[in-house]
Amino acid sequence: MENMMSKLEELLEQQAQLTTAIEEAKKQQKTEDLKTVRQLCKAHGFTANMLKGFLAEGRKRRSKSEIEPE
């Protein structure tokens, strides 16, 4: 039974390491993709307004009246 637990623990550790590696790879790919998008926008003269309909909606800004006073 002890052998099975150690195998389970070993697999769980591998899973945690893979999860960490996957997250790091996603961050790296996102950075590389953003760099490519910026280069293409600069090369072709695209502006944010030109791409507005194709981009995901960003953070919504709140007006001063919506911000609660402390």
Side-chain angles (χ1 to χ4, degrees):
M1 188 67 161
E2 185 178 311
N3 191 15
M4 280 299 222
M5 272 315 248
S6 65
K7 183 67 173 173
L8 177 59
E9 290 170 349
E10 179 183 330
L11 289 172
L12 288 171
E13 177 63 29
Q14 288 175 2
Q15 182 182 26
Q17 290 172 351
L18 283 173
T19 300
T20 302
I22 289 169
E23 291 302 317
E24 188 59 38
K26 283 181 182 180
K27 287 179 188 177
Q28 183 65 31
Q29 187 64 50
K30 184 177 178 180
T31 301
E32 291 173 15
D33 290 346
L34 185 56
K35 184 177 179 182
T36 301
V37 169
R38 286 180 176 155
Q39 289 172 343
L40 290 171
C41 286
K42 188 174 181 179
H44 297 286
F46 295 137
T47 64
N49 282 336
M50 295 168 84
L51 301 173
K52 202 174 209 172
F54 300 100
L55 299 176
E57 198 169 302
R59 167 175 81 94
K60 296 212 185 252
R61 295 187 178 227
R62 297 187 301 179
S63 67
K64 288 184 179 182
S65 63
E66 292 176 335
I67 300 173
E68 295 179 22
E70 293 181 16

